Amino acid sequence: MENQMENQEFLADKIRTQEYQLNMGPQHPATHGVMRMILQLDGEEIKNVEPVLGYIHRSIEKMCEKSSYKQIIHLTDRLDYLSSHMNNEAVTLLVENALGIEVNDRIKIIRTIIAELTRMASHQLWWGVMGMDTGALTTFMYAFRDRELINEIMEETCGARLTMNYNIIGGLRYDIHDNFVKRVKEFIVHFKEKLPEYDNLLSNNVIFRKRTEGVGIMTKEQVIAYGMNGPTARASGFECDIRKKLPYSAYGMVDFEEVLRTEGDAFARYKVRIDEMWQSMNIIEQLIDKIPEDDFRMKTKPIIKLPKGDFLQRVETARGDFGVYAMSDGGKNPTRFKFRSPSFANLHGLNKMSENTKIGDLVVNFSTIDVVVPDIDR
Amino acid sequence: MILELLNQFMPAEVAFYVELVIIAVVYLGVFALLGLFLVWMERRVAGFFQLRLGPNRRGPSGLFQTVADALKLVSKELTATEGRDKFLHGIAPYFVIVAALMALSLIPFSAELQAFDINLGVFFVTAVTSIEVVGIFLAGWASNNKYSLIGGMRSGIQMISYELSIGMTIVTMTVLAGTIQLSEIVEMQRGGWFIWTGHIPAFIGFMVFMIAGTAESNRTPFDLVEAESELGAGFHSEYSGMGFAYFFLAEFVNMFIISAMAVTLFFGGWLLPFEIGADIPFVGAIIFVVKTLSVVFLMMWFRWTFPRLRIDQLLTLEWKYLIPISMVNIVVMAILVWLGLTF
């Protein structure tokens, strides 16, 4: 008996596996951009994930310090390009609140509708890529079919499809197009029909369920400890929707649900985003008939100077809590401008999520935290 | 047939070798054309599944697009990683392509059109197709790239495991057929296709065969060996030009071989029910190809619908479900044949 034990120990000593490093990225199909991860692997099992940042750093914060407040708005497009409207909105709201400009309801409502459309477009893209990451290539095309309609609405009203630059301080750049209301209503009808298709194709697929359920579980405490936010955190039951907590624009006027789940696994993160698309449609439906006739732009001073002090504005982008912090000395440029980007915060959880999982799980986890790399690096 | 024709011109021994050469050349041509056609079909099918058109510019319905791509691949530079094992890296694609070609020579297109009808048919096909894993494994090993290595390791795990259920399913069907010569298996189905005469175990066998066959040809949901989103391109990351093209072609021809085997074992090969069109020459080959392409379409349908499995799930599926099911299936089939409960 003892002999056997010794023998086994001897064998275990002889046959041992060696950990190795794998460099994932900066060019890799699963990293959604130029991000690099150094994986410590034991066979297929992940021991450690170390994201390496800085491949797409453009020092936007520094550029902001050299720019006037009107110019800063256009730089924020390039952070999280999929929630460009919400990023713009954060800066506009910051300046408006600092100067005490109260915009009218028309502006508020239009901003909110565009923001929700952007959120849906972002989630649609995410859904398509999520499918691709798990190996189902068809989802991408289905997502783009619906996203294209949103892009067309944007193109007509804002003049651009992705980085719209529709917000300016004290209002909107243009008035909405005559077709806007009609088109949005058509889209809602279309998408209500098509969103269940997403569930049929991916959410209810056995393989997809097996790949996501119980993978990368984060508890509520862990999520808070890692500073995660947005849909990623709400999947673990952390109520962190800025639209509910600190209502801005027209979110105070509408009745919507904050989508929460308690499982905290990859499937919960997936499902939260799908349900958020339903909520976005709900918000738009409540607002679309309520756009009052009014000016689309308030009168502002030609040169905008913020009073001396610190200012903070938070908005909920498609990825989570986006914070803009400005320190002003009373001049026309901020002395310090800082973004708190949701993707950067969410990325912290990746290592924890991927502990002792397989390479395939890492791809799923990375996909479900839905980072946009330019938002991480700024 | 060719032999008789040649015998008129030359002595019998020479004629035999000339025949072999002719058949080999014909099969090489069939192989290449089949590969190109299947790549085109995959793209078109994928296009229609994905709400887009697929290639439609070069030639009718974009049929020549793959020809253009093949020309491009031929003319491309062969790149190489530093520190690779030159010999193994170079030889790996040939393992794969030769295995596929040899298996193709056994496919009974019709009663007349079968290059190589040996009485060990089924056994030979399984033996030859299992050589393929050697090529893929070597490619992954010799590339000196960790992604390729992971791909190669996965291929070893995956293809060897799934070969077992394919083998067992084939055994199940040979129990019903009573022979392992491919042409005879088809002839046995003159009274009714095996999927009908073998009813429940044959149907279960078909399901297992399709799952294992998809895994064997490394296609989604079992494309872990390539796993684009995880490993870039897996085992063939470091191959360019024709090296890559060989793997690519072999993958598609393997899909055809798996489908052809499914048609031979379950759907009566070149036969139609009730002897329809049995007298017309060469109609058998057309029927066979149409049937096979339907099964190929099924496999493409899988690919463009399903996500990929994870490596541990892949093994769980094989060792905990498919193998026990196939084992029980053999016994059930044997009992049914013994009691004469087949149709």
Side-chain angles (χ1 to χ4, degrees), chain A residues 60-88:
Chain A
I60 286 190
E61 283 169 7
K62 193 72 193 166
M63 283 158 79
C64 289
E65 286 170 21
K66 302 280 172 203
S67 314
S68 73
Y69 292 100
K70 280 181 179 172
Q71 290 168 326
I72 289 172
I73 297 172
H74 307 301
L75 289 171
T76 56
D77 271 359
R78 268 74 187 176
L79 299 172
D80 175 359
Y81 47 82
L82 293 174
S83 343
S84 54
H85 180 85
M86 288 91 114
N87 295 347
N88 294 166

Side-chain angles (χ1 to χ4, degrees), chain A residues 196-303:
Chain A
E197 219 173 61
Y198 287 25
D199 283 337
N200 292 339
L201 188 57
L202 204 59
S203 324
N204 297 337
N205 185 302
V206 186
I207 300 173
F208 183 76
R209 281 289 184 91
K210 290 260 177 196
R211 281 296 299 277
T212 50
E213 275 174 356
V215 169
I217 296 175
M218 293 292 276
T219 61
K220 191 177 170 183
E221 288 72 32
Q222 283 170 343
V223 158
I224 295 170
Y226 280 93
M228 295 163 76
N229 51 49
T232 316
R234 287 199 282 279
S236 303
F238 176 34
E239 293 174 37
C240 57
D241 198 331
I242 306 296
R243 294 174 293 175
K244 277 273 183 203
K245 300 263 170 198
L246 305 162
Y248 56 93
S249 290
Y251 289 111
M253 305 178 198
V254 285
D255 176 35
F256 69 102
E257 240 177 78
E258 178 176 355
V259 184
L260 281 176
R261 285 182 91 86
T262 47
E263 298 93 335
D265 59 357
F267 188 71
R269 292 193 282 275
Y270 169 89
K271 203 67 188 160
V272 163
R273 292 200 175 85
I274 294 279
D275 290 344
E276 271 196 4
M277 287 197 258
W278 285 110
Q279 287 305 323
S280 292
M281 284 198 279
N282 175 17
I283 293 171
I284 294 174
E285 271 185 333
Q286 289 178 39
L287 291 176
I288 193 71
D289 287 324
K290 283 197 207 153
I291 305 177
E293 286 300 321
D294 212 334
D295 292 334
F296 64 89
R297 194 187 287 174
M298 313 301 280
K299 283 213 162 59
T300 52
K301 284 179 190 162
I303 292 173

Side-chain angles (χ1 to χ4, degrees), chain B residues 137-164:
Chain B
F137 192 72
L138 282 183
W141 175 257
S143 292
N144 192 27
N145 176 330
K146 283 173 192 162
Y147 286 108
S148 302
L149 183 64
I150 298 173
M153 291 297 170
R154 284 180 174 184
S155 81
I157 298 168
Q158 174 182 336
M159 295 175 80
I160 292 169
S161 307
Y162 277 84
E163 217 131 76
L164 292 172

Side-chain angles (χ1 to χ4, degrees), chain B residues 186 189-193 267-278 283-284 286-288 290-291:
Chain B
V186 178
Q189 302 183 50
R190 214 165 262 288
W193 298 353
F267 297 107
W270 63 79
L271 302 170
L272 275 182
F274 312 115
E275 308 274 322
I276 301 164
V283 78
I286 295 166
I287 291 166
F288 184 85
V290 168
K291 278 183 187 173

Side-chain angles (χ1 to χ4, degrees), chain A residues 21 44 133-134 138 211, chain B residues 146 154 229 304 308 310:
Chain A
Q21 275 191 339
E44 282 265 346
D133 281 344
T134 48
T138 305
R211 281 296 299 277
Chain B
K146 283 173 192 162
R154 284 180 174 184
S229 58
W304 299 107
R308 182 187 309 121
R310 205 169 58 211

Side-chain angles (χ1 to χ4, degrees), chain B residues 160-274:
Chain B
I160 292 169
S161 307
Y162 277 84
E163 217 131 76
L164 292 172
S165 6
I166 287 203
M168 282 194 220
T169 316
I170 289 177
V171 169
T172 315
M173 296 321 287
T174 47
V175 167
L176 182 60
T179 172
I180 54 173
Q181 189 169 354
L182 284 165
S183 55
E184 273 182 33
I185 289 178
V186 178
E187 283 301 324
M188 289 289 290
Q189 302 183 50
R190 214 165 262 288
W193 298 353
F194 279 165
I195 194 119
W196 167 248
T197 53
H199 51 93
I200 297 165
F203 188 71
I204 295 170
F206 176 64
M207 304 274 261
V208 174
F209 189 86
M210 283 313 290
I211 295 171
T214 315
E216 184 72 8
S217 52
N218 293 329
R219 292 173 61 80
T220 322
F222 304 101
D223 64 339
L224 284 104
V225 176
E226 301 173 25
E228 196 196 336
S229 58
E230 294 161 30
L231 303 180
F235 68 96
H236 61 58
S237 301
E238 297 298 347
Y239 281 88
S240 67
M242 277 321 276
F244 164 72
Y246 283 156
F247 284 120
F248 198 62
L249 273 184
E251 185 195 319
F252 279 88
V253 174
N254 273 325
M255 181 169 67
F256 185 84
I257 290 166
I258 295 284
S259 308
M261 286 299 287
V263 168
T264 310
L265 291 172
F266 300 97
F267 297 107
W270 63 79
L271 302 170
L272 275 182
F274 312 115

Side-chain angles (χ1 to χ4, degrees), chain A residues 10-207:
Chain A
F10 173 73
L11 273 177
D13 203 39
K14 274 237 153 168
I15 312 168
R16 63 162 192 278
T17 52
Q18 191 191 349
E19 287 187 11
Y20 63 102
Q21 275 191 339
L22 183 69
N23 193 14
M24 207 171 184
Q27 269 88 36
H28 188 280
T31 55
H32 303 181
V34 271
M35 209 188 91
R36 178 174 162 212
M37 287 183 279
I38 299 174
L39 312 183
Q40 193 73 31
L41 293 168
D42 180 8
E44 282 265 346
E45 209 145 278
I46 290 168
K47 295 293 170 197
N48 190 34
V49 184
E50 192 192 331
V52 181
L53 308 177
Y55 285 89
I56 191 164
H57 187 79
R58 296 143 296 166
S59 50
I60 286 190
E61 283 169 7
K62 193 72 193 166
M63 283 158 79
C64 289
E65 286 170 21
K66 302 280 172 203
S67 314
S68 73
Y69 292 100
K70 280 181 179 172
Q71 290 168 326
I72 289 172
I73 297 172
H74 307 301
L75 289 171
T76 56
D77 271 359
R78 268 74 187 176
L79 299 172
D80 175 359
Y81 47 82
L82 293 174
S83 343
S84 54
H85 180 85
M86 288 91 114
N87 295 347
N88 294 166
E89 201 176 356
V91 180
T92 17
L93 287 172
L94 174 107
V95 177
E96 281 165 11
N97 290 346
L99 294 177
I101 302 169
E102 180 67 27
V103 295
N104 62 36
D105 278 1
R106 183 182 175 82
I107 296 168
K108 282 183 184 172
I109 287 175
I110 292 171
R111 275 181 184 172
T112 309
I113 291 173
I114 301 262
E116 290 309 309
L117 284 174
T118 317
R119 190 185 314 279
M120 269 197 278
S122 168
H123 283 349
Q124 282 164 351
L125 180 76
W126 158 81
W127 180 79
V129 175
M130 173 87 208
M132 275 175 81
D133 281 344
T134 48
L137 299 164
T138 305
T139 54
F140 194 69
M141 296 292 164
Y142 276 66
F144 262 68
R145 170 193 63 193
D146 304 328
R147 190 170 176 270
E148 189 63 25
L149 295 173
I150 295 184
N151 280 345
E152 274 168 17
I153 295 170
M154 299 296 187
E155 192 180 353
E156 211 169 50
T157 292
C158 317
R161 289 160 65 86
L162 188 67
T163 52
M164 280 92 73
N165 282 317
Y166 192 47
N167 283 307
I168 56 168
I169 293 161
L172 305 166
R173 186 165 295 277
Y174 315 106
D175 202 355
I176 50 171
H177 193 269
D178 298 337
N179 285 339
F180 182 74
V181 175
K182 194 184 99 211
R183 286 264 202 141
V184 171
K185 279 181 181 167
E186 276 170 7
F187 169 76
I188 298 286
V189 171
H190 166 88
F191 197 49
K192 277 204 165 159
E193 209 177 287
K194 297 296 180 187
L195 193 49
E197 219 173 61
Y198 287 25
D199 283 337
N200 292 339
L201 188 57
L202 204 59
S203 324
N204 297 337
N205 185 302
V206 186
I207 300 173

